[in-house]
Amino acid sequence: METEFESRLLMRGAAPLSRTMSIAWSRIDGSARRRFAVIGILSIVSGVLPGAQVYAVGALVSSVVDSADYRGYLVWAIVFGVVVFVKYVLENIIKFLGDVLTLRLSYDIEIDAVQRLGDMEVQNFESSKTYDIIQRVDESTGEHVYGLFDTLRSAIQALLSLLSICAVLWQWSPVIASMLLVAPIPGCVATFRVQTRAYDIEYKRATKARLAGYLRGLLMSDSAKKETRLFRLDELFTNSYSSIKKNFLRQDIGLARFALLQAGGLGAASVLASFGAVVYAAIIAGVHNRVGELAGFISATTQVGPLVLAAFIGFTGIYQHLLYVSNWAALVDTQPARIAEGAFRGPSDGRGGSVEFRNVSFRYPGTDVLALNDVSFSIDSGSITAFVGINGCGKSTICKLLLRFYEPDEGEIFVDGRPIGELSREYLYSWSSALFQDFVKYERSLRDNIEYGYPRDRGTADDERLWDSLEAVGLRDWAMSLPERLNTMLGRHFEGGHQPSIGQWQRIAAARALVKKPRLLVLDEPTASVDAVSEKILFEAMAALGGETTVVLVSHRFATVAHADRIIVIDDGAVVGVGGHADLMEDCAHYRDMYDAQGLQSR
Ligand SMILES: Nc1ncnc2c1ncn2[C@@H]1O[C@H](COP(=O)(O)OP(=O)(O)OP(=O)(O)O)[C@@H](O)[C@H]1O
């Protein structure tokens, strides 16, 4: 059973090990590689010193026994001291260089991972495959990258030390040398078994551990607290969490018992075998009067066990690091979905903003259902166009394609008469803006919250512009009443934060969308959280943009929708009606049904 598992472990690790190590190596810069080289050379020197140390012990004791003159053994005492001291110095230098390298790699790799995440397209975060990889990369990856190389280095150094000791012992007695080398093996097998079992437990519990982490996160989340309290989910989640943890506890205690049994069996066999080797060496020494060699054997006994273990376990310990590093390597190795960049950078101050979808069809990656099926429509520049339809009909998908978060599978999208793929996204985003239904509540100052919507290449937005945006969304008076006005921190996570209501948060997000005075404004359910008065204010803000800004509005509120210049009705990924409110009430049964349903609900 164990053997089968161990071989599975090696199989599982061997292929990713070489791939992961080559990825890690390719990401390490020249100076870090030089540091690795220096550490490697010092490790080789330090690796052969234990042999010299054992030899010096033997020679020292022999010279004490054989020579009456202290000068005879003083030389060996000095040699012994120098060997011990040089090893001490080398080990400390290796440790220092290793620590510095760990810190540097941790920094480099953490920044590299963060940059990769920042650089990813929206669609990667909406794909469970990539999202899974993203979730598994944590801040400790850098330490494990060095750990991966360092474990290998330590194992090789331990092997060198063993060879050097072996070379010395062999000259004295091949039989005792063999006994000493073989003695630690059962103990190593025991440790290997315990480690592989621990690794296997960790590997198998990864999914449950993630679930436990998720439940814990829900229990700690301020946004989830109301629901968890109301639906008594806190109790349910706490029970699930503790049941997972109890299971882990049971496994860990079982592992501790297994470790004790292994130590008591194979581990004890090693101790007894070493003891046997020393007794045998003592007998030989007594018979042949080779006290120096006996001292060398005893000195070697204390070193050989840990060295065999380090060499043996070092190679298995690599898998522990591999578990972490492979997540990061998978991130590096992932070919995230990319949106091709267009070259057109256009006149930055030019107005416009007309949009056309021509026979656009689209499936989300990894699905076979058409989210949009042969969709065609056109939107005049400066107009307000509303999209309506039941949940899941494809309205948000139209917004995502228009903002180039995805590319259509078929058909083409034109902006100002030009295929959208020809526009550079930097250019497109410099004059378009959006307010999403899942807008972000940045727990930063009110100023930051609005300024985040202002293009960085235009510098910082002046206060007047920020106040204008607040005015447009009806928040000027509220902002004036805040303790530090624009500089007031928002949210509860940082000290001194002021918590806006959800509707205020949404209007702040609207101010952020408006601050750049966009030519194209996509509003994906912008009024979901606001009251009727605020909705009117928001709509007036949109209308005030009229002529200057093309507004694409997704909304379920017919009171808002009815004011749009044109309404496009979507059903099951297809356009089923286009026109003004009055026309659609006449001609489009689907629109009329939705309108009536909302009228009934509100009565
Ligand atoms: N990231 C995604 N991966 C796979 N399928 C998706 C994804 N996002 C949306 N879909 C699917 O695409 C279809 C259209 O979704 P979309 O979000 O565009 O609907 P919607 O009209 O905006 O709905 P709602 O009114 O609920 O916001 C739905 O069937 C939905 O399940």
Side-chain angles (χ1 to χ4, degrees), residues 123 126-127 364-365 367 369-372 389-398 400 406 437 524-525 554 556 570:
Q123 50 184 286
E126 295 191 337
S127 134
Y364 281 96
T367 67
V369 184
L370 277 173
L372 294 181
I390 60 170
N391 293 136
C393 69
K395 305 179 296 294
S396 297
T397 306
I398 289 174
K400 287 188 221 167
Y406 288 90
Q437 62 193 101
D524 192 352
E525 292 191 49
V554 172
H556 290 288
I570 308 288

Side-chain angles (χ1 to χ4, degrees), residues 386-395 525 554-556 558 561 567-572 576 590-591 594:
F387 286 83
V388 293
I390 60 170
N391 293 136
C393 69
K395 305 179 296 294
E525 292 191 49
V554 172
S555 179
H556 290 288
F558 283 83
V561 167
I567 301 164
I568 300 181
V569 188
I570 308 288
D571 187 29
D572 202 11
V576 294
H590 190 60
Y591 182 81
M594 285 190 295

